[in-house]
Amino acid sequence: YVEQREYLVGGELRMWGGDLNPVRSPVFVKTARGVEQKVIGATPLLTSQESLEALSAAVKAYDHGRGAWPSMRVAERIEHVERFLVAMRAQRTAVVNLLMWEIGKTQGDSEKEFDRTIDLIVETIRALKELDRTSSRFVQEQGIMAQIRRAPIGVALCMGPYNYPLNETFSTLFPALLMGNAVIFKPAKFGVLLIRPLLEAFRDCFPPGVINIIYGRGRETVGALMESGQVDLFAFIGTNKGASELKRMHPRPHRLKSVLGLDAKNPAIILDDADLDNTVKECITGTLSFNGQRCTALKVLLVHRKVVKPFLERFSAAVDKLKPGMPWTPGVALTPLPEPGKTDYLRGLVDDAVSKGAKVVNELGGKVNQSFFFPAVVYPVTRDMRLATEEQFGPVIPVMVFDEDEEAVRYVVESQFGQQLSLFGQDSARIGKFIDAFANQVGRINLNCQCQRGPDTFPFNGRKDSAEGTLSVADALRVFSIRTLVAAKTT
Ligand code: G3H
């Protein structure tokens, strides 16, 4: 049990004396009252006042770009981040443990998230050195000599999702810091305690006010920041609803630069000549790693009628073989879900489809035990069912059938979302036609493999309601900075 009262403002770990927010694990345990979700800690329920104090600290540290941090040489800023990395590495066990307890991520995936985050920061440093080298170069054109400088933007607010509470938040927070911005960071709703082991390192490795970490209800704490109009950069990975509500609160939206990773409904299109062994393998991890709680998960399978039967047989059998268990148990693939009420929500999606004519085709599909939901393969899903378009963000796999390639194309172009998609098939001319049709519809087209974000050095973005701006190591550095031209006439 971690009772956390500390939060970070202006280089101080302040102690909160007010109400606390209990942190419940998705893992159920036996207690004197029966079987219930284990309370594993609590975090401060700060108010708008503390949140605005964090803002003042950030504004002061930035000081219109004249503060020590934004005016520091890049090499020196990198040294601060490298010191942080040393301290962060020492907290691997504590953070990995909390990833398992707080969000139910398997041990292997929790370790991967931690290590991947370290790699991402290291790569960001490498990319910054490169950017610094190239952007300080002089260019000469039409009688003008110019140097294009990269300058910070101001105060950044960074918020990430519960499914990658470390990796995704740090993928915006560190580029923001490295480019010289001052940051306010509000950890995710679940996966919040795991920042506690890093608070001292944040305090010790950065000048006061450069990084401020606040806790509490979003509307109150983050709402106050947005309404102040003093947030210059908004880095948010979460839902469309959350992002638009917060953006709307900013009194000068034209002054707010946003980078957003939002909802997705990534389809896999499985053609009649697809290699079914590979397709099933990729679709299992694509739909179900971390119980389908990845923004990049495959969230609907569109299968050609000629192969739908063999595909469903093999896919359902493979789903039913997946082992549920606790995150720390070796070989486990399915773990408890952290969102309260999630099993009811998923049940509702399945019931809606079933009431309109679909079936759960795998034997174990939809069985609920505490916060476990055994993956349900639902077929045939049609356009009138919620599962056809709604992002389930969990272990329900809608399967739709198509006869003509054009039907699959239409599904994608008519979708509200456009993050990624996967194409499974062998005929390169046919695949080429799909690629042409989709190149302006999604951020990434995966051929004969599942959707995924990595490697983190690749651009990560999306179209339509799925994203705004591009993240990745090098792109993020551009997002969190602005180019200033220093130009002089040479003739
Ligand atoms: O939830 C969205 C993540 O960025 C997905 O990352 O594809 O590596 O699981 P991933």
Side-chain angles (χ1 to χ4, degrees), residues 215-246:
Y215 297 85
R217 292 193 187 95
R219 200 149 304 183
E220 195 169 352
T221 54
V222 182
L225 299 176
M226 282 304 206
E227 281 166 358
S228 77
Q230 294 189 78
V231 172
D232 304 296
L233 275 160
F234 180 45
F236 179 92
I237 300 168
T239 61
N240 287 64
K241 191 168 166 278
S244 6
E245 273 175 21
L246 290 170

Side-chain angles (χ1 to χ4, degrees), residues 181-484:
N181 302 284
V183 173
I184 302 169
F185 164 37
K186 181 171 178 301
K189 195 163 167 192
F190 317 112
V192 56
L193 281 175
L194 56 88
I195 300 301
R196 175 65 193 88
L198 305 174
L199 280 187
E200 280 81 2
F202 274 119
R203 178 195 61 193
D204 298 342
C205 298
F206 296 96
V210 164
I211 168 82
N212 305 278
I213 305 181
I214 57 167
Y215 297 85
R217 292 193 187 95
R219 200 149 304 183
E220 195 169 352
T221 54
V222 182
L225 299 176
M226 282 304 206
E227 281 166 358
S228 77
Q230 294 189 78
V231 172
D232 304 296
L233 275 160
F234 180 45
F236 179 92
I237 300 168
T239 61
N240 287 64
K241 191 168 166 278
S244 6
E245 273 175 21
L246 290 170
K247 274 182 78 168
R248 263 200 302 273
M249 291 180 186
H250 198 288
R252 288 184 292 281
H254 58 282
R255 293 268 302 263
L256 182 70
K257 185 173 182 189
S258 306
V259 57
L260 312 174
L262 304 169
D263 304 347
K265 185 83 180 172
N266 295 344
I269 299 171
I270 300 166
L271 302 175
D272 46 331
D273 62 348
D275 167 350
L276 284 192
D277 286 341
N278 173 59
T279 307
V280 167
K281 184 173 81 45
E282 291 289 324
C283 287
I284 286 287
T285 47
T287 54
L288 288 174
S289 60
F290 193 36
N291 311 290
Q293 302 166 119
R294 294 162 56 228
C295 61
T296 49
L298 289 172
K299 289 176 185 137
V300 57
L301 308 182
L302 309 182
V303 189
H304 196 282
R305 192 176 301 278
K306 280 190 193 155
V307 288
V308 74
K309 197 163 172 279
F311 172 79
L312 274 176
E313 278 167 14
R314 292 194 210 183
F315 184 72
S316 302
V319 169
D320 281 350
K321 279 198 198 116
L322 295 173
K323 195 173 144 197
M326 290 305 162
W328 43 85
T329 309
V332 152
L334 307 166
T335 50
L337 309 177
E339 282 181 277
K342 188 65 181 251
T343 55
D344 290 343
Y345 167 75
L346 296 172
R347 187 76 252 161
L349 287 178
V350 173
D351 289 348
D352 169 73
V354 169
S355 73
K356 293 170 182 158
K359 284 195 173 74
V360 175
V361 296
N362 58 321
E363 208 184 312
L364 304 173
K367 292 205 184 337
V368 175
N369 181 9
Q370 296 161 354
S371 44
F372 284 92
F373 188 98
F374 200 89
V377 184
V378 184
Y379 173 79
V381 166
T382 46
R383 295 295 280 265
D384 55 329
M385 300 172 187
R386 286 168 61 198
L387 270 175
T389 48
E390 193 169 317
E391 182 184 29
Q392 65 273 42
F393 212 76
V396 174
I397 305 127
V399 180
M400 300 174 81
V401 68
F402 68 92
D403 294 285
E404 303 297 329
D405 291 0
E406 178 53 24
E407 292 170 53
V409 171
R410 221 173 33 239
Y411 176 89
V412 173
V413 301
E414 288 174 2
S415 173
Q416 179 192 354
F417 305 113
Q419 191 203 58
Q420 298 195 11
L421 59 80
S422 289
L423 269 173
F424 292 91
Q426 316 267 4
D427 177 345
S428 43
R430 191 173 173 196
I431 296 278
K433 283 191 191 145
F434 276 108
I435 294 175
D436 288 345
F438 294 149
N440 59 4
Q441 296 294 321
V442 292
R444 173 163 163 171
I445 300 166
N446 300 280
L447 302 179
N448 293 308
C449 61
Q450 62 168 310
C451 297
Q452 62 179 37
R453 175 182 182 191
D456 293 341
T457 43
F458 280 8
F460 181 53
N461 58 18
R463 308 267 183 150
K464 307 183 200 176
D465 283 346
S466 284
E468 183 179 328
T470 300
L471 284 172
S472 88
V473 160
D475 288 292
L477 294 172
R478 294 191 179 92
V479 164
F480 291 104
S481 59
I482 194 152
R483 278 182 298 179
T484 307

Side-chain angles (χ1 to χ4, degrees), residues 48-269:
S48 52
Q49 189 186 321
E50 293 71 44
S51 174
L52 291 174
E53 284 167 11
L55 177 67
S56 303
V59 168
K60 188 168 165 216
Y62 188 69
D63 190 15
H64 306 279
R66 304 178 73 206
W69 184 251
S71 41
M72 194 178 276
R73 284 184 312 112
V74 164
E76 217 179 313
R77 256 189 246 137
I78 289 175
E79 282 170 21
H80 285 263
V81 173
E82 282 173 340
R83 275 209 299 281
F84 178 86
L85 277 175
V86 172
M88 181 172 162
R89 283 193 177 98
Q91 297 299 334
R92 185 176 189 265
T93 308
V95 174
V96 165
N97 213 12
L98 283 163
L99 272 166
M100 290 190 278
W101 274 100
E102 282 198 87
I103 62 165
K105 194 169 266 195
T106 61
Q107 178 157 5
D109 283 349
S110 298
E111 288 170 351
K112 225 185 271 170
E113 175 164 355
F114 187 91
D115 297 340
R116 174 182 178 179
T117 307
I118 296 269
D119 291 347
L120 186 139
I121 300 171
V122 170
E123 278 299 315
T124 309
I125 290 174
R126 196 196 49 70
L128 176 57
K129 287 180 183 163
E130 177 64 17
L131 186 69
D132 193 43
R133 199 179 57 74
T134 52
S135 59
S136 45
R137 207 183 282 158
F138 287 86
V139 287
Q140 193 170 353
E141 215 166 300
Q142 295 177 24
I144 295 194
M145 165 85 91
Q147 185 193 31
I148 303 165
R149 285 201 188 184
R150 282 269 155 196
I153 294 179
V155 172
L157 170 61
C158 296
M159 296 171 71
Y162 78 78
N163 62 337
Y164 278 96
L166 190 71
N167 179 270
E168 294 237 9
T169 29
F170 282 20
S171 77
T172 62
L173 196 154
F174 278 89
L177 284 175
L178 279 162
M179 292 315 293
N181 302 284
V183 173
I184 302 169
F185 164 37
K186 181 171 178 301
K189 195 163 167 192
F190 317 112
V192 56
L193 281 175
L194 56 88
I195 300 301
R196 175 65 193 88
L198 305 174
L199 280 187
E200 280 81 2
F202 274 119
R203 178 195 61 193
D204 298 342
C205 298
F206 296 96
V210 164
I211 168 82
N212 305 278
I213 305 181
I214 57 167
Y215 297 85
R217 292 193 187 95
R219 200 149 304 183
E220 195 169 352
T221 54
V222 182
L225 299 176
M226 282 304 206
E227 281 166 358
S228 77
Q230 294 189 78
V231 172
D232 304 296
L233 275 160
F234 180 45
F236 179 92
I237 300 168
T239 61
N240 287 64
K241 191 168 166 278
S244 6
E245 273 175 21
L246 290 170
K247 274 182 78 168
R248 263 200 302 273
M249 291 180 186
H250 198 288
R252 288 184 292 281
H254 58 282
R255 293 268 302 263
L256 182 70
K257 185 173 182 189
S258 306
V259 57
L260 312 174
L262 304 169
D263 304 347
K265 185 83 180 172
N266 295 344
I269 299 171

